[in-house]
Protein backbone atom coordinates (compact mmCIF):
# COMPACT_ATOMS: atom_id res chain seq x y z
CA UNK A 1 0.00 0.00 0.00
CA UNK A 2 1.42 3.41 -0.94
CA UNK A 3 2.21 6.12 1.59
CA UNK A 4 -0.63 8.23 0.16
CA UNK A 5 -3.16 5.41 0.50
CA UNK A 6 -1.95 4.55 4.02
CA UNK A 7 -2.57 8.10 5.19
CA UNK A 8 -6.18 8.05 4.15
CA UNK A 9 -7.19 4.38 4.14
CA UNK A 10 -8.83 4.70 7.55
CA UNK A 11 -10.98 7.73 6.80
CA UNK A 12 -11.46 7.97 3.03
CA UNK A 13 -14.75 6.11 3.13
CA UNK A 14 -16.21 8.31 5.84
CA UNK A 15 -15.02 11.54 4.28
CA UNK A 16 -15.64 10.96 0.56
CA UNK A 17 -17.67 13.63 -1.22
CA UNK A 18 -20.74 12.99 -3.30
CA UNK A 19 -20.15 12.74 -7.03
CA UNK A 20 -21.61 16.23 -7.53
CA UNK A 21 -19.47 17.74 -4.76
CA UNK A 22 -16.36 16.12 -6.21
CA UNK A 23 -17.15 17.54 -9.65
CA UNK A 24 -17.53 21.00 -8.12
CA UNK A 25 -14.20 20.60 -6.32
CA UNK A 26 -12.44 19.38 -9.48
CA UNK A 27 -13.77 22.37 -11.40
CA UNK A 28 -12.97 24.77 -8.57
CA UNK A 29 -9.31 23.74 -8.50
CA UNK A 30 -8.94 23.60 -12.28
CA UNK A 31 -7.10 26.93 -12.63
CA UNK A 32 -4.67 26.06 -9.85
CA UNK A 33 -4.01 22.60 -11.24
CA UNK A 34 -3.55 23.79 -14.82
CA UNK A 35 -1.14 26.54 -13.80
CA UNK A 36 0.86 24.26 -11.54
CA UNK A 37 1.26 21.36 -13.95
CA UNK A 38 2.00 23.61 -16.92
CA UNK A 39 4.97 24.98 -14.96
CA UNK A 40 5.96 21.53 -13.71
CA UNK A 41 5.93 20.04 -17.22
CA UNK A 42 8.29 22.77 -18.42
CA UNK A 43 10.55 22.28 -15.40
CA UNK A 44 11.15 18.58 -16.05
CA UNK A 45 11.21 18.73 -19.86
CA UNK A 46 14.19 16.73 -21.11
CA UNK A 47 15.05 15.48 -17.60
CA UNK A 48 15.19 11.76 -16.85
CA UNK A 49 15.67 12.00 -13.11
CA UNK A 50 14.99 14.34 -10.21
CA UNK A 51 18.21 16.28 -9.76
CA UNK A 52 19.20 19.60 -8.18
CA UNK A 53 17.95 21.58 -11.18
CA UNK A 54 14.55 19.90 -11.05
CA UNK A 55 14.29 20.53 -7.30
CA UNK A 56 15.28 24.19 -7.74
CA UNK A 57 12.60 24.59 -10.40
CA UNK A 58 10.06 22.77 -8.24
CA UNK A 59 10.83 25.08 -5.34
CA UNK A 60 10.18 28.11 -7.56
CA UNK A 61 6.92 26.60 -8.83
CA UNK A 62 5.62 25.88 -5.33
CA UNK A 63 6.46 29.38 -4.09
CA UNK A 64 4.85 30.99 -7.16
CA UNK A 65 1.75 28.85 -6.52
CA UNK A 66 1.51 30.51 -3.07
CA UNK A 67 2.29 27.39 -1.10
CA UNK A 68 4.57 29.65 0.94
CA UNK A 69 8.32 29.65 1.45
CA UNK A 70 8.44 27.70 4.72
CA UNK A 71 6.07 24.98 3.54
CA UNK A 72 7.83 24.79 0.17
CA UNK A 73 11.18 24.23 1.88
CA UNK A 74 9.62 21.51 4.01
CA UNK A 75 8.28 19.73 0.91
CA UNK A 76 11.60 20.06 -0.94
CA UNK A 77 13.51 18.68 2.07
CA UNK A 78 11.22 15.66 2.20
CA UNK A 79 11.66 15.00 -1.52
CA UNK A 80 15.45 15.40 -1.23
CA UNK A 81 15.42 12.76 1.49
CA UNK A 82 13.50 10.37 -0.71
CA UNK A 83 15.83 11.02 -3.64
CA UNK A 84 18.80 10.24 -1.40
CA UNK A 85 17.18 7.05 -0.09
CA UNK A 86 16.07 5.80 -3.52
CA UNK A 87 19.40 6.76 -5.16
CA UNK A 88 17.54 7.23 -8.44
CA UNK A 89 14.16 8.91 -8.77
CA UNK A 90 12.69 9.38 -12.24
CA UNK A 91 10.82 12.57 -13.12
CA UNK A 92 7.77 10.50 -14.06
CA UNK A 93 7.48 9.63 -10.35
CA UNK A 94 7.62 13.25 -9.21
CA UNK A 95 3.83 13.79 -9.34
CA UNK A 96 3.22 10.78 -7.10
CA UNK A 97 5.92 11.82 -4.64
CA UNK A 98 4.59 15.37 -4.49
CA UNK A 99 1.08 14.07 -3.95
CA UNK A 100 2.20 11.88 -1.08
CA UNK A 101 4.22 14.59 0.65
CA UNK A 102 1.49 17.24 0.37
CA UNK A 103 -1.03 14.69 1.64
CA UNK A 104 1.28 14.03 4.58
CA UNK A 105 1.48 17.71 5.47
CA UNK A 106 -2.29 18.17 5.32
CA UNK A 107 -2.83 15.03 7.35
CA UNK A 108 -0.66 16.39 10.17
CA UNK A 109 -2.70 19.59 10.53
CA UNK A 110 -6.17 18.36 9.55
CA UNK A 111 -6.25 15.03 11.38
CA UNK A 112 -9.46 15.96 13.19
CA UNK A 113 -11.23 17.73 10.34
CA UNK A 114 -15.00 17.91 10.15
CA UNK A 115 -16.68 15.25 8.03
CA UNK A 116 -19.90 17.17 7.33
CA UNK A 117 -21.99 20.08 8.56
CA UNK A 118 -22.87 18.36 11.81
CA UNK A 119 -22.17 19.68 15.31
CA UNK A 120 -21.38 18.12 18.64
CA UNK A 121 -24.69 16.91 20.08
CA UNK A 122 -23.76 17.84 23.64
CA UNK A 123 -23.04 21.47 22.66
CA UNK A 124 -26.13 23.61 22.26
CA UNK A 125 -26.16 26.23 21.03
CA UNK A 126 -22.90 25.74 19.12
CA UNK A 127 -21.44 29.23 18.75
CA UNK A 128 -19.23 30.18 15.81
CA UNK A 129 -17.54 33.59 15.83
CA UNK A 130 -16.46 34.56 12.32
CA UNK A 131 -13.50 36.89 11.77
CA UNK A 132 -11.74 38.22 8.69
CA UNK A 133 -11.22 41.42 6.71
CA UNK A 134 -13.84 42.98 4.48
CA UNK A 135 -13.96 41.64 0.95
CA UNK A 136 -12.77 38.08 1.61
CA UNK A 137 -16.26 36.61 1.35
CA UNK A 138 -16.97 36.60 5.08
CA UNK A 139 -20.68 37.46 4.88
CA UNK A 140 -21.21 35.08 1.96
CA UNK A 141 -19.47 32.31 3.89
CA UNK A 142 -21.73 32.93 6.89
CA UNK A 143 -24.79 32.78 4.64
CA UNK A 144 -23.66 29.56 2.99
CA UNK A 145 -22.80 28.05 6.37
CA UNK A 146 -26.26 28.92 7.66
CA UNK A 147 -27.76 27.25 4.59
CA UNK A 148 -25.71 24.07 5.06
CA UNK A 149 -26.44 23.83 8.79
CA UNK A 150 -30.16 24.37 8.17
CA UNK A 151 -30.05 21.77 5.40
CA UNK A 152 -28.51 19.36 7.93
CA UNK A 153 -31.56 19.89 10.14
CA UNK A 154 -30.25 22.47 12.60
CA UNK A 155 -31.96 25.60 13.86
CA UNK A 156 -29.65 28.52 13.09
CA UNK A 157 -29.51 32.11 14.37
CA UNK A 158 -27.29 34.81 12.87
CA UNK A 159 -25.83 37.77 14.74
CA UNK A 160 -24.86 40.94 12.85
CA UNK A 161 -22.06 42.15 15.14
CA UNK A 162 -20.16 43.92 12.34
CA UNK A 163 -21.83 47.18 13.28
CA UNK A 164 -19.23 49.49 11.74
CA UNK A 165 -20.66 49.16 8.23
CA UNK A 166 -24.35 49.47 7.42
CA UNK A 167 -23.68 47.40 4.30
CA UNK A 168 -22.42 44.49 6.41
CA UNK A 169 -25.65 44.42 8.42
CA UNK A 170 -27.80 44.69 5.31
CA UNK A 171 -25.84 41.98 3.47
CA UNK A 172 -26.25 39.58 6.37
CA UNK A 173 -29.97 40.40 6.48
CA UNK A 174 -30.25 39.46 2.79
CA UNK A 175 -28.59 36.12 3.47
CA UNK A 176 -30.79 35.48 6.52
CA UNK A 177 -33.89 36.13 4.38
CA UNK A 178 -32.56 33.97 1.55
CA UNK A 179 -31.76 31.03 3.81
CA UNK A 180 -34.81 31.54 6.00
CA UNK A 181 -33.14 31.90 9.38
CA UNK A 182 -33.60 34.57 12.10
CA UNK A 183 -31.08 37.35 12.52
CA UNK A 184 -30.38 39.63 15.49
CA UNK A 185 -29.25 43.10 14.47
CA UNK A 186 -28.97 46.62 15.82
CA UNK A 187 -28.26 49.98 14.25
CA UNK A 188 -24.93 50.81 12.67
CA UNK A 189 -22.48 52.01 15.31
CA UNK A 190 -23.96 49.83 18.06
CA UNK A 191 -21.68 47.95 20.43
CA UNK A 192 -20.72 44.65 18.71
CA UNK A 193 -20.60 42.87 22.08
CA UNK A 194 -24.16 43.98 22.77
CA UNK A 195 -25.32 42.43 19.49
CA UNK A 196 -23.51 39.20 20.32
CA UNK A 197 -25.10 39.13 23.78
CA UNK A 198 -28.61 39.67 22.37
CA UNK A 199 -28.01 37.04 19.69
CA UNK A 200 -27.07 34.36 22.21
CA UNK A 201 -29.97 35.25 24.50
CA UNK A 202 -32.32 34.95 21.53
CA UNK A 203 -30.75 31.68 20.45
CA UNK A 204 -31.10 30.16 23.91
CA UNK A 205 -34.74 31.30 24.09
CA UNK A 206 -35.41 29.72 20.68
CA UNK A 207 -33.55 26.52 21.60
CA UNK A 208 -31.30 27.07 18.58
CA UNK A 209 -28.64 24.56 17.59
CA UNK A 210 -26.14 26.87 15.89
CA UNK A 211 -25.28 30.55 16.32
CA UNK A 212 -23.05 32.33 13.81
CA UNK A 213 -21.72 35.73 14.88
CA UNK A 214 -20.31 38.12 12.27
CA UNK A 215 -17.62 40.52 13.50
CA UNK A 216 -16.03 43.67 12.13
CA UNK A 217 -13.72 43.07 9.18
CA UNK A 218 -11.09 45.64 9.97
CA UNK A 219 -7.37 45.07 10.20
CA UNK A 220 -6.88 48.17 12.30
CA UNK A 221 -4.52 48.47 15.23
CA UNK A 222 -3.88 44.93 16.47
CA UNK A 223 -4.35 45.88 20.11
CA UNK A 224 -7.77 47.40 19.37
CA UNK A 225 -8.76 44.34 17.36
CA UNK A 226 -7.68 42.06 20.19
CA UNK A 227 -9.59 44.09 22.76
CA UNK A 228 -12.72 44.19 20.63
CA UNK A 229 -12.79 40.45 19.94
CA UNK A 230 -11.95 39.66 23.57
CA UNK A 231 -14.85 41.81 24.73
CA UNK A 232 -17.24 40.05 22.35
CA UNK A 233 -16.08 36.70 23.74
CA UNK A 234 -16.45 37.79 27.38
CA UNK A 235 -19.96 39.10 26.85
CA UNK A 236 -21.06 35.95 24.99
CA UNK A 237 -19.77 33.82 27.87
CA UNK A 238 -22.24 35.52 30.20
CA UNK A 239 -24.95 33.68 28.26
CA UNK A 240 -23.14 30.55 27.07
CA UNK A 241 -20.23 29.82 29.39
CA UNK A 242 -17.86 28.18 26.90
CA UNK A 243 -18.67 30.33 23.85
CA UNK A 244 -17.41 30.66 21.22
CA UNK A 245 -16.84 27.02 20.38
CA UNK A 246 -15.18 27.89 17.09
CA UNK A 247 -13.39 31.05 15.94
CA UNK A 248 -13.49 30.78 12.16
CA UNK A 249 -11.09 32.94 10.14
CA UNK A 250 -12.23 33.53 6.56
CA UNK A 251 -9.45 34.09 4.01
CA UNK A 252 -9.63 34.91 0.30
CA UNK A 253 -7.60 32.24 -1.49
CA UNK A 254 -7.19 34.42 -4.56
CA UNK A 255 -5.08 36.95 -2.66
CA UNK A 256 -2.18 34.55 -2.19
CA UNK A 257 0.42 36.04 0.13
CA UNK A 258 -2.05 38.63 1.46
CA UNK A 259 -4.00 35.72 2.92
CA UNK A 260 -0.87 34.66 4.81
CA UNK A 261 -0.51 38.17 6.24
CA UNK A 262 -4.17 38.28 7.29
CA UNK A 263 -3.81 34.90 8.98
CA UNK A 264 -0.77 36.22 10.82
CA UNK A 265 -2.61 39.34 12.03
CA UNK A 266 -5.75 37.55 13.19
CA UNK A 267 -3.98 34.63 14.87
CA UNK A 268 -1.98 37.22 16.82
CA UNK A 269 -5.15 39.08 17.81
CA UNK A 270 -7.36 36.16 18.82
CA UNK A 271 -7.35 32.40 19.19
CA UNK A 272 -8.38 31.24 15.72
CA UNK A 273 -9.47 27.59 15.80
CA UNK A 274 -10.37 26.94 12.15
CA UNK A 275 -10.09 28.40 8.66
CA UNK A 276 -12.36 28.89 5.68
CA UNK A 277 -10.58 29.60 2.39
CA UNK A 278 -12.84 31.18 -0.22
CA UNK A 279 -12.79 31.98 -3.97
CA UNK A 280 -10.56 29.05 -4.91
CA UNK A 281 -12.47 28.64 -8.17
CA UNK A 282 -11.38 32.04 -9.45
CA UNK A 283 -7.65 31.73 -8.90
CA UNK A 284 -4.54 29.74 -9.73
CA UNK A 285 -3.34 30.26 -6.15
CA UNK A 286 -5.05 27.25 -4.56
CA UNK A 287 -1.71 26.18 -3.11
CA UNK A 288 -2.36 28.77 -0.40
CA UNK A 289 -4.58 26.18 1.34
CA UNK A 290 -1.56 23.90 1.80
CA UNK A 291 0.76 26.64 3.01
CA UNK A 292 -1.58 28.35 5.45
CA UNK A 293 -2.74 25.06 6.96
CA UNK A 294 0.86 23.94 7.48
CA UNK A 295 2.38 27.24 8.57
CA UNK A 296 -0.24 28.21 11.14
CA UNK A 297 -1.11 24.66 12.23
CA UNK A 298 -4.80 25.54 12.12
CA UNK A 299 -7.16 23.13 10.37
CA UNK A 300 -8.93 24.25 7.21
CA UNK A 301 -12.58 23.48 7.91
CA UNK A 302 -14.32 24.90 4.81
CA UNK A 303 -13.37 25.87 1.26
CA UNK A 304 -15.28 27.97 -1.25
CA UNK A 305 -15.11 26.49 -4.76
CA UNK A 306 -17.90 28.32 -6.54
CA UNK A 307 -20.49 31.08 -6.32
CA UNK A 308 -23.52 28.85 -5.75
CA UNK A 309 -25.10 28.50 -2.32
CA UNK A 310 -24.06 24.81 -2.30
CA UNK A 311 -20.44 25.56 -3.23
CA UNK A 312 -19.07 25.93 0.28
CA UNK A 313 -17.65 22.51 1.11
CA UNK A 314 -16.32 20.90 4.24
CA UNK A 315 -12.60 20.61 3.56
CA UNK A 316 -11.64 17.05 2.78
CA UNK A 317 -7.87 16.60 2.64
CA UNK A 318 -8.05 13.40 0.63
CA UNK A 319 -10.38 14.78 -2.03
CA UNK A 320 -8.50 18.11 -2.19
CA UNK A 321 -5.18 16.43 -2.97
CA UNK A 322 -6.88 14.02 -5.34
CA UNK A 323 -8.49 16.92 -7.28
CA UNK A 324 -5.25 18.88 -7.26
CA UNK A 325 -3.32 16.05 -8.89
CA UNK A 326 -6.11 14.43 -10.89
Amino acid sequence: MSFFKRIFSSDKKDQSLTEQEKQVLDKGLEKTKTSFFTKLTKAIAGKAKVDDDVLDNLEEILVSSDVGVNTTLKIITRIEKRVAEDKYLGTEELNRILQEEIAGLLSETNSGEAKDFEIAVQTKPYVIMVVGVNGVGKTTTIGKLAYQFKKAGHNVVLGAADTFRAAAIDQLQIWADRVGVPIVRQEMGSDPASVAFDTLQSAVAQNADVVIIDTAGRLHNKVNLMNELSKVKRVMQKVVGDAPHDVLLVLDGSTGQNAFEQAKQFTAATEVTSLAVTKLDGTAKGGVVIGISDQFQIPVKYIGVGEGIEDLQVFNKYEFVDSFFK
Side-chain angles (χ1 to χ4, degrees), residues 125 127 191 193-202 204 229-245:
V127 182
D191 181 7
S194 173
V195 178
F197 182 84
D198 289 351
T199 303
L200 263 62
Q201 278 199 322
S202 176
V204 170
L229 295 178
S230 295
K231 181 182 177 183
V232 170
K233 283 184 180 181
R234 287 197 308 273
V235 170
M236 285 196 293
Q237 288 166 0
K238 293 180 179 179
V239 184
V240 177
D242 54 351
H245 305 103

Side-chain angles (χ1 to χ4, degrees), residues 17-162:
L17 303 176
T18 66
E19 184 176 346
Q20 182 180 358
E21 289 171 336
K22 188 61 165 66
Q23 289 175 352
V24 170
L25 180 59
D26 288 345
K27 185 178 179 182
L29 293 179
E30 194 169 343
K31 289 183 179 180
T32 293
K33 182 177 65 175
T34 299
S35 173
F36 182 82
F37 283 106
T38 298
K39 294 174 183 175
L40 185 60
T41 301
K42 291 179 181 178
I44 64 177
K47 295 281 188 178
K49 68 174 185 176
V50 177
D51 57 18
D52 289 343
D53 285 342
V54 170
L55 290 174
D56 286 344
N57 289 333
L58 178 58
E59 181 177 327
E60 185 177 333
I61 291 167
L62 289 168
V63 171
S64 67
S65 299
D66 286 282
V67 172
V69 174
N70 291 338
T71 302
T72 292
L73 293 176
K74 192 180 293 187
I75 293 170
I76 295 297
T77 299
R78 292 184 178 199
I79 294 176
E80 285 177 334
K81 182 180 179 182
R82 294 182 68 164
V83 171
E85 289 174 349
D86 295 346
K87 303 302 180 186
Y88 180 91
L89 190 64
T91 52
E92 71 277 1
E93 298 175 271
L94 188 55
N95 283 2
R96 175 180 60 82
I97 301 299
L98 259 176
Q99 187 173 359
E100 291 174 0
E101 295 306 336
I102 290 173
L105 283 179
L106 289 175
S107 185
E108 289 168 12
T109 306
N110 295 277
S111 58
E113 68 189 17
K115 293 180 174 60
D116 49 36
F117 289 94
E118 288 299 326
I119 55 173
V121 177
Q122 67 272 22
T123 304
K124 188 173 182 180
Y126 185 81
V127 182
I128 304 170
M129 185 171 81
V130 183
V131 300
V133 301
N134 298 327
V136 297
K138 184 161 58 80
T139 306
T140 300
T141 297
I142 292 171
K144 291 180 177 181
L145 266 179
Y147 168 80
Q148 293 287 5
F149 280 125
K150 184 180 178 183
K151 184 181 175 183
H154 302 301
N155 297 320
V156 184
V157 176
L158 302 184
D162 183 355

Side-chain angles (χ1 to χ4, degrees), residues 264-306:
K264 182 179 178 181
Q265 293 283 344
F266 275 98
T267 53
T270 190
E271 186 181 354
V272 175
T273 54
S274 66
L275 303 171
V277 185
T278 67
K279 307 182 185 181
L280 290 175
D281 56 308
T283 180
K285 299 176 181 289
V288 74
V289 173
I290 302 164
I292 287 179
S293 175
D294 172 61
Q295 186 169 326
F296 293 95
Q297 291 296 296
I298 298 171
V300 177
K301 188 174 281 189
Y302 310 107
I303 54 173
V305 289

